[in-house]
Amino acid sequence: MSDIDVDRLMERLEGEEASVVEQVKRQLSRMRADQIVRDARGDASIPAPDLTALSEFLSVPDRPETYRIDQIMLMDADVLLVAQKKIGKSTLVSNFVRSLVDNEPFLGRFGVTPLEPGRSVVHFDNELGEDNLRRWLREQKIQGTDRVYVADLRGRLATFNILNPEIRAEWADKLRAANAQVIIFDCLRPALDALGMSEDKEASRFAQALTALKIESGASDLLLVHHAGHDASRARGDSALSAWCTDEWKMRLESQDNPFSPRVFSAFGRSAGLASTRLDYDPLTRRLSLADTTVVAAKVNSNIEVVREAVEHSPGMNSTQLRKALGAAGMTSGGDRSTAMREAREQGLIVRVKSGRENVFYPPSAAEVMWLERADGEETDDVDQVA
C-alpha cells in the first residue's frame, strides 16, 4: 500500500455513493491485511546469510559427499516420499526409523550413517493415530527407543502452523530439547487442510517452512511424506514440491490394476538413486527389504524397450495412440502399459510434451521436442526434463 496516497484517495471519494466508499475501504483493508501477511512471511528466527566473496567461498575445502542412507539420501537432505494411499508408506517410514537408530541397512541393502552421539529422530504423525503408531513402531522391535521421539498431531495440526515464525520458533525449541537430527513428517495433505492451504498451489510453501524448522532447530535431515496422484507417477498437487526436495522416493503398486500386486520402491534426485525395485514384506515383523528383481526387471525392461521402439517408429503419438501401439505389440495389460510408459519417461528414453490439450511422445533426441519447448514456453510440468 506504500504507493497509495490514502488521504488523496479519500478526497476523491467525496460525493461518491456510500456503497462505493464502503467498497473502497474494504479493498484497502484487504490490501493492508495482505501486506501484514507478506511482512510476516519475511520474518525469520535465524539470521540472514552474509555476502561472501567467491574467492573466500572457494577457499574452503570441499567436504566428501556423504550419505545418510547410502545411494538414496545425502546428508543434510530434504527427502520427499511419494506413495499411493494404503500401500504401506507408514510401514516404510517405521522401517526408516529403525534403520536410523539401530544402524541397520535400510530395506536390507543400503548402509546408514549413524546418528551423532546423543542425537535423535523426531517422528511427527497425523494419520495413524496414537494407538496405531504405537503398534507400528513396537512391531519394528527398535532397540534404540530412547533416540526416537514421537508426536501425534492428528486433530491438533493447528498447533503446527510453522508458517508463523513465532510458532515455528516454539517447535524449534522443542526439537532442540530433543536434540533432533532427523525429522519425519507424515503426512503433508492433512496439515494443508488444517491450515486452509491449497494442495495445488501452496504445498511447497509448507515444505519450505519445514526446511526452515529443520535449520532453526539444528537438525540435518528431513523426510516429508506425501500422497501420489491417481496414476502414481508423481506427487499430488503442487509441482514445485519436486523442485524443493533433495531426493524423491516413490512407493507404488507394480501393477496399477491390481491393489494386491507387489510394492515397488524407487529413488531419484541428487543422490545416486535407485531404479524401480520390488519390495518384499514380512507381515510378522513389518519389515521391508528390496527383492531380487532379475525376472521382474527383465519383464519391465522388455516392455520399456517396446515403448521406446514404438515412439521412435512413430514420434508424436498421443497417449491413446501409444497405448494402442503397445497393445498391438502384445502388451495387453493396461497396468503393464502404464508402468512401461512411466518407466520409459523416468529413464529418459521417451519425452512427453504438452501439445494443445494432449500429451504427445517423442524420442529424447527429436528436434521437434526442442522446437516445441521454445514455441510453447512450457515448464517441465508439461515437457519432461531430459538429462
Side-chain angles (χ1 to χ4, degrees):
M1 288 180 57
S2 59
D3 58 342
I4 296 178
D5 187 332
V6 177
D7 292 336
R8 186 176 179 183
L9 178 58
M10 291 297 104
E11 290 177 3
R12 291 181 58 186
L13 290 175
E14 292 180 4
E16 293 285 352
E17 294 182 4
S19 59
V20 174
V21 175
E22 181 63 26
Q23 288 296 326
V24 171
K25 288 182 177 179
R26 288 181 180 178
Q27 186 170 344
L28 288 172
S29 296
R30 286 195 297 270
M31 293 171 64
R32 178 57 182 159
D34 289 343
Q35 182 177 332
I36 291 172
V37 172
R38 285 194 299 271
D39 291 344
R41 289 177 185 171
D43 292 342
S45 56
I46 55 176
D50 294 328
L51 298 179
T52 305
L54 181 59
S55 55
E56 180 183 349
F57 187 72
L58 295 179
S59 68
V60 178
D62 293 333
R63 290 189 307 174
E65 188 172 69
T66 54
Y67 286 86
R68 177 65 63 194
I69 306 291
D70 190 32
Q71 296 186 41
I72 63 172
M73 184 177 187
L74 290 165
M75 298 287 277
D76 301 319
D78 291 331
V79 172
L80 179 68
L81 169 59
V82 178
Q84 294 170 263
K85 62 181 181 180
K86 310 303 181 187
I87 71 164
K89 61 180 176 56
S90 296
T91 298
L92 182 69
V93 169
S94 59
N95 275 254
F96 177 67
V97 172
R98 174 176 49 79
S99 292
L100 287 175
V101 298
D102 290 346
N103 195 21
E104 295 184 5
F106 182 52
L107 301 180
R109 180 180 301 184
F110 301 118
V112 176
T113 298
L115 301 177
E116 297 170 6
R119 304 301 296 273
S120 69
V121 176
V122 175
H123 182 185
F124 293 102
D125 182 86
N126 56 50
E127 279 202 325
L128 286 178
E130 186 174 316
D131 290 340
N132 285 329
L133 179 60
R134 183 180 294 109
R135 186 179 307 111
W136 254 248
L137 291 171
R138 189 192 306 281
E139 291 177 354
Q140 288 296 315
K141 297 190 179 337
I142 295 170
Q143 300 301 307
T145 53
D146 57 341
R147 307 188 73 183
V148 182
Y149 291 84
V150 296
D152 176 19
L153 291 176
R154 195 173 65 160
R156 290 170 279 193
L157 278 164
T159 67
F160 200 78
N161 183 13
I162 56 174
L163 278 77
N164 182 308
E166 293 182 0
I167 295 177
R168 190 168 67 240
E170 291 175 2
W171 279 107
D173 288 342
K174 291 178 184 289
L175 291 169
R176 277 193 295 272
N179 210 6
Q181 185 162 25
V182 180
I183 300 170
I184 300 168
F185 193 85
D186 183 7
C187 66
L188 178 58
R189 176 59 187 265
L192 299 177
D193 289 344
L195 300 179
M197 301 176 70
S198 164
E199 185 179 53
D200 291 339
K201 299 179 177 64
E202 298 182 291
S204 58
R205 276 187 56 213
F206 187 85
Q208 293 287 357
L210 278 172
T211 299
L213 175 64
K214 180 188 77 170
I215 294 171
E216 291 172 31
S217 67
S220 60
D221 305 300
L222 169 65
L223 177 67
L224 171 61
V225 183
H226 187 36
H227 289 122
H230 65 89
D231 65 351
S233 65
R234 50 163 287 177
R236 204 166 61 186
D238 190 351
S239 59
L241 280 171
S242 294
W244 160 80
C245 64
T246 311
D247 288 283
E248 186 169 341
W249 296 355
K250 291 182 181 178
M251 185 181 185
R252 58 177 177 79
L253 296 169
E254 185 175 290
S255 174
Q256 301 308 307
D257 295 337
N258 179 9
F260 300 102
S261 71
R263 275 53 173 162
V264 174
F265 179 81
S266 63
F268 174 79
R270 296 177 187 170
S271 65
L274 175 72
S276 296
T277 305
R278 181 182 286 183
L279 288 168
D280 283 336
Y281 174 60
D282 183 346
L284 296 178
T285 62
R286 289 191 178 274
R287 297 198 175 191
L288 293 165
S289 59
L290 291 173
D292 179 357
T293 58
T294 303
V295 175
V296 175
K299 176 185 175 183
V300 171
N301 288 337
S302 175
N303 288 344
I304 292 172
E305 184 64 18
V306 174
V307 174
R308 185 190 65 78
E309 290 178 353
V311 171
E312 285 195 351
H313 183 265
S314 302
M317 286 190 293
N318 62 29
S319 298
T320 300
Q321 292 167 335
L322 178 53
R323 288 177 181 276
K324 287 183 178 179
L326 298 180
M331 205 181 303
T332 57
S333 166
D336 286 347
R337 290 196 293 267
S338 296
T339 298
M341 290 167 64
R342 178 177 59 250
E343 294 290 345
R345 286 179 51 219
E346 291 184 352
Q347 294 183 27
L349 300 178
I350 64 173
V351 179
R352 184 184 66 183
V353 176
K354 193 76 170 180
S355 179
R357 294 186 176 181
E358 292 186 319
N359 290 320
V360 295
F361 298 88
Y362 287 92
S365 59
E368 291 92 337
V369 173
M370 302 308 296
W371 180 86
L372 282 166
E373 284 181 303
R374 292 195 298 270
D376 294 343
E378 297 286 356
E379 299 293 335
T380 54
D381 288 350
D382 294 326
V383 178
D384 291 330
Q385 186 85 27
V386 182

mmCIF file of all heavy atoms in Angstrom, residues 7-29:
data_model
loop_
_atom_site.group_PDB
_atom_site.id
_atom_site.type_symbol
_atom_site.label_atom_id
_atom_site.label_comp_id
_atom_site.label_asym_id
_atom_site.label_seq_id
_atom_site.Cartn_x
_atom_site.Cartn_y
_atom_site.Cartn_z
ATOM 1 N N ASP A 7 -4.936 9.609 1.896
ATOM 2 C CA ASP A 7 -5.647 10.877 2.120
ATOM 3 C C ASP A 7 -6.208 11.423 0.811
ATOM 4 O O ASP A 7 -7.369 11.872 0.760
ATOM 5 C CB ASP A 7 -4.691 11.897 2.743
ATOM 6 C CG ASP A 7 -4.294 11.525 4.168
ATOM 7 O OD1 ASP A 7 -5.079 10.792 4.807
ATOM 8 O OD2 ASP A 7 -3.221 11.948 4.621
ATOM 9 N N ARG A 8 -5.399 11.378 -0.233
ATOM 10 C CA ARG A 8 -5.868 11.875 -1.534
ATOM 11 C C ARG A 8 -7.001 11.018 -2.067
ATOM 12 O O ARG A 8 -7.963 11.527 -2.665
ATOM 13 C CB ARG A 8 -4.706 11.899 -2.519
ATOM 14 C CG ARG A 8 -5.051 12.541 -3.856
ATOM 15 C CD ARG A 8 -3.830 12.615 -4.738
ATOM 16 N NE ARG A 8 -4.152 13.205 -6.028
ATOM 17 C CZ ARG A 8 -3.289 13.351 -7.020
ATOM 18 N NH1 ARG A 8 -2.031 12.941 -6.863
ATOM 19 N NH2 ARG A 8 -3.663 13.890 -8.171
ATOM 20 N N LEU A 9 -6.902 9.717 -1.816
ATOM 21 C CA LEU A 9 -7.963 8.818 -2.268
ATOM 22 C C LEU A 9 -9.271 9.155 -1.566
ATOM 23 O O LEU A 9 -10.349 9.164 -2.196
ATOM 24 C CB LEU A 9 -7.564 7.368 -1.997
ATOM 25 C CG LEU A 9 -8.583 6.288 -2.362
ATOM 26 C CD1 LEU A 9 -8.940 6.353 -3.844
ATOM 27 C CD2 LEU A 9 -8.059 4.908 -2.001
ATOM 28 N N MET A 10 -9.219 9.429 -0.276
ATOM 29 C CA MET A 10 -10.424 9.773 0.461
ATOM 30 C C MET A 10 -11.051 11.076 -0.058
ATOM 31 O O MET A 10 -12.279 11.217 -0.121
ATOM 32 C CB MET A 10 -10.108 9.898 1.951
ATOM 33 C CG MET A 10 -9.773 8.593 2.648
ATOM 34 S SD MET A 10 -11.142 7.393 2.641
ATOM 35 C CE MET A 10 -10.586 6.253 1.376
ATOM 36 N N GLU A 11 -10.197 12.024 -0.447
ATOM 37 C CA GLU A 11 -10.717 13.267 -1.020
ATOM 38 C C GLU A 11 -11.466 12.997 -2.318
ATOM 39 O O GLU A 11 -12.517 13.601 -2.592
ATOM 40 C CB GLU A 11 -9.563 14.235 -1.276
ATOM 41 C CG GLU A 11 -8.933 14.798 -0.010
ATOM 42 C CD GLU A 11 -7.749 15.697 -0.312
ATOM 43 O OE1 GLU A 11 -7.465 15.909 -1.529
ATOM 44 O OE2 GLU A 11 -7.094 16.176 0.634
ATOM 45 N N ARG A 12 -10.928 12.095 -3.132
ATOM 46 C CA ARG A 12 -11.573 11.770 -4.406
ATOM 47 C C ARG A 12 -12.921 11.096 -4.210
ATOM 48 O O ARG A 12 -13.773 11.117 -5.100
ATOM 49 C CB ARG A 12 -10.669 10.861 -5.238
ATOM 50 C CG ARG A 12 -9.400 11.536 -5.759
ATOM 51 C CD ARG A 12 -8.577 10.582 -6.579
ATOM 52 N NE ARG A 12 -9.333 10.050 -7.703
ATOM 53 C CZ ARG A 12 -8.875 9.083 -8.521
ATOM 54 N NH1 ARG A 12 -7.697 8.548 -8.300
ATOM 55 N NH2 ARG A 12 -9.617 8.651 -9.521
ATOM 56 N N LEU A 13 -13.109 10.498 -3.041
ATOM 57 C CA LEU A 13 -14.360 9.786 -2.789
ATOM 58 C C LEU A 13 -15.485 10.702 -2.326
ATOM 59 O O LEU A 13 -16.633 10.247 -2.189
ATOM 60 C CB LEU A 13 -14.125 8.691 -1.738
ATOM 61 C CG LEU A 13 -13.270 7.499 -2.191
ATOM 62 C CD1 LEU A 13 -13.013 6.571 -1.020
ATOM 63 C CD2 LEU A 13 -13.952 6.750 -3.332
ATOM 64 N N GLU A 14 -15.157 11.983 -2.081
ATOM 65 C CA GLU A 14 -16.202 12.907 -1.653
ATOM 66 C C GLU A 14 -17.250 13.041 -2.764
ATOM 67 O O GLU A 14 -16.931 13.247 -3.930
ATOM 68 C CB GLU A 14 -15.599 14.275 -1.328
ATOM 69 C CG GLU A 14 -14.714 14.274 -0.088
ATOM 70 C CD GLU A 14 -14.142 15.656 0.203
ATOM 71 O OE1 GLU A 14 -14.508 16.606 -0.525
ATOM 72 O OE2 GLU A 14 -13.338 15.785 1.149
ATOM 73 N N GLY A 15 -18.477 12.891 -2.368
ATOM 74 C CA GLY A 15 -19.569 12.968 -3.337
ATOM 75 C C GLY A 15 -19.961 11.627 -3.922
ATOM 76 O O GLY A 15 -20.982 11.525 -4.613
ATOM 77 N N GLU A 16 -19.140 10.592 -3.698
ATOM 78 C CA GLU A 16 -19.491 9.261 -4.183
ATOM 79 C C GLU A 16 -20.571 8.646 -3.291
ATOM 80 O O GLU A 16 -20.748 9.043 -2.139
ATOM 81 C CB GLU A 16 -18.253 8.352 -4.190
ATOM 82 C CG GLU A 16 -17.185 8.737 -5.188
ATOM 83 C CD GLU A 16 -17.563 8.368 -6.611
ATOM 84 O OE1 GLU A 16 -18.602 7.672 -6.791
ATOM 85 O OE2 GLU A 16 -16.836 8.758 -7.539
ATOM 86 N N GLU A 17 -21.256 7.669 -3.843
ATOM 87 C CA GLU A 17 -22.288 6.976 -3.066
ATOM 88 C C GLU A 17 -21.641 6.234 -1.901
ATOM 89 O O GLU A 17 -20.492 5.774 -1.984
ATOM 90 C CB GLU A 17 -23.045 5.989 -3.953
ATOM 91 C CG GLU A 17 -23.853 6.650 -5.051
ATOM 92 C CD GLU A 17 -24.616 5.628 -5.872
ATOM 93 O OE1 GLU A 17 -24.564 4.421 -5.516
ATOM 94 O OE2 GLU A 17 -25.270 6.033 -6.850
ATOM 95 N N ALA A 18 -22.406 6.097 -0.839
ATOM 96 C CA ALA A 18 -21.887 5.449 0.371
ATOM 97 C C ALA A 18 -21.427 4.019 0.099
ATOM 98 O O ALA A 18 -20.434 3.543 0.664
ATOM 99 C CB ALA A 18 -22.953 5.462 1.471
ATOM 100 N N SER A 19 -22.146 3.327 -0.808
ATOM 101 C CA SER A 19 -21.777 1.943 -1.111
ATOM 102 C C SER A 19 -20.405 1.872 -1.781
ATOM 103 O O SER A 19 -19.616 0.946 -1.538
ATOM 104 C CB SER A 19 -22.827 1.296 -2.013
ATOM 105 O OG SER A 19 -22.962 2.005 -3.230
ATOM 106 N N VAL A 20 -20.084 2.856 -2.634
ATOM 107 C CA VAL A 20 -18.782 2.887 -3.307
ATOM 108 C C VAL A 20 -17.681 3.140 -2.284
ATOM 109 O O VAL A 20 -16.630 2.487 -2.292
ATOM 110 C CB VAL A 20 -18.766 3.971 -4.400
ATOM 111 C CG1 VAL A 20 -17.354 4.104 -4.999
ATOM 112 C CG2 VAL A 20 -19.777 3.647 -5.483
ATOM 113 N N VAL A 21 -17.904 4.095 -1.388
ATOM 114 C CA VAL A 21 -16.923 4.404 -0.357
ATOM 115 C C VAL A 21 -16.647 3.173 0.508
ATOM 116 O O VAL A 21 -15.495 2.858 0.838
ATOM 117 C CB VAL A 21 -17.407 5.580 0.517
ATOM 118 C CG1 VAL A 21 -16.438 5.833 1.671
ATOM 119 C CG2 VAL A 21 -17.570 6.840 -0.332
ATOM 120 N N GLU A 22 -17.703 2.452 0.857
ATOM 121 C CA GLU A 22 -17.555 1.272 1.691
ATOM 122 C C GLU A 22 -16.733 0.199 0.987
ATOM 123 O O GLU A 22 -15.868 -0.451 1.587
ATOM 124 C CB GLU A 22 -18.937 0.721 2.062
ATOM 125 C CG GLU A 22 -18.899 -0.508 2.970
ATOM 126 C CD GLU A 22 -18.275 -0.207 4.319
ATOM 127 O OE1 GLU A 22 -18.306 0.963 4.763
ATOM 128 O OE2 GLU A 22 -17.739 -1.157 4.922
ATOM 129 N N GLN A 23 -16.975 0.026 -0.334
ATOM 130 C CA GLN A 23 -16.226 -0.971 -1.091
ATOM 131 C C GLN A 23 -14.746 -0.616 -1.157
ATOM 132 O O GLN A 23 -13.874 -1.481 -1.056
ATOM 133 C CB GLN A 23 -16.802 -1.099 -2.511
ATOM 134 C CG GLN A 23 -18.156 -1.784 -2.591
ATOM 135 C CD GLN A 23 -18.080 -3.237 -2.137
ATOM 136 O OE1 GLN A 23 -17.081 -3.920 -2.340
ATOM 137 N NE2 GLN A 23 -19.158 -3.703 -1.509
ATOM 138 N N VAL A 24 -14.449 0.679 -1.339
ATOM 139 C CA VAL A 24 -13.048 1.112 -1.388
ATOM 140 C C VAL A 24 -12.370 0.853 -0.042
ATOM 141 O O VAL A 24 -11.225 0.369 0.014
ATOM 142 C CB VAL A 24 -12.955 2.609 -1.762
ATOM 143 C CG1 VAL A 24 -11.519 3.116 -1.597
ATOM 144 C CG2 VAL A 24 -13.419 2.821 -3.195
ATOM 145 N N LYS A 25 -13.058 1.155 1.052
ATOM 146 C CA LYS A 25 -12.479 0.927 2.376
ATOM 147 C C LYS A 25 -12.218 -0.560 2.613
ATOM 148 O O LYS A 25 -11.182 -0.938 3.190
ATOM 149 C CB LYS A 25 -13.415 1.476 3.456
ATOM 150 C CG LYS A 25 -13.464 3.008 3.518
ATOM 151 C CD LYS A 25 -14.372 3.473 4.634
ATOM 152 C CE LYS A 25 -14.371 5.000 4.752
ATOM 153 N NZ LYS A 25 -15.267 5.477 5.828
ATOM 154 N N ARG A 26 -13.134 -1.391 2.146
ATOM 155 C CA ARG A 26 -12.931 -2.840 2.298
ATOM 156 C C ARG A 26 -11.715 -3.316 1.505
ATOM 157 O O ARG A 26 -10.923 -4.143 1.961
ATOM 158 C CB ARG A 26 -14.178 -3.599 1.851
ATOM 159 C CG ARG A 26 -15.361 -3.468 2.801
ATOM 160 C CD ARG A 26 -16.536 -4.277 2.294
ATOM 161 N NE ARG A 26 -17.684 -4.158 3.194
ATOM 162 C CZ ARG A 26 -18.862 -4.731 2.974
ATOM 163 N NH1 ARG A 26 -19.047 -5.466 1.873
ATOM 164 N NH2 ARG A 26 -19.850 -4.577 3.844
ATOM 165 N N GLN A 27 -11.569 -2.779 0.294
ATOM 166 C CA GLN A 27 -10.430 -3.176 -0.529
ATOM 167 C C GLN A 27 -9.118 -2.729 0.105
ATOM 168 O O GLN A 27 -8.131 -3.468 0.103
ATOM 169 C CB GLN A 27 -10.559 -2.585 -1.939
ATOM 170 C CG GLN A 27 -9.474 -3.072 -2.894
ATOM 171 C CD GLN A 27 -9.769 -2.681 -4.324
ATOM 172 O OE1 GLN A 27 -10.878 -2.316 -4.661
ATOM 173 N NE2 GLN A 27 -8.756 -2.769 -5.157
ATOM 174 N N LEU A 28 -9.117 -1.516 0.665
ATOM 175 C CA LEU A 28 -7.917 -1.050 1.358
ATOM 176 C C LEU A 28 -7.589 -1.931 2.564
ATOM 177 O O LEU A 28 -6.420 -2.216 2.843
ATOM 178 C CB LEU A 28 -8.106 0.402 1.816
ATOM 179 C CG LEU A 28 -8.100 1.473 0.716
ATOM 180 C CD1 LEU A 28 -8.493 2.828 1.300
ATOM 181 C CD2 LEU A 28 -6.734 1.566 0.054
ATOM 182 N N SER A 29 -8.626 -2.377 3.262
ATOM 183 C CA SER A 29 -8.415 -3.260 4.416
ATOM 184 C C SER A 29 -7.806 -4.583 3.981
ATOM 185 O O SER A 29 -6.882 -5.105 4.627
ATOM 186 C CB SER A 29 -9.739 -3.505 5.152
ATOM 187 O OG SER A 29 -10.246 -2.303 5.693
#
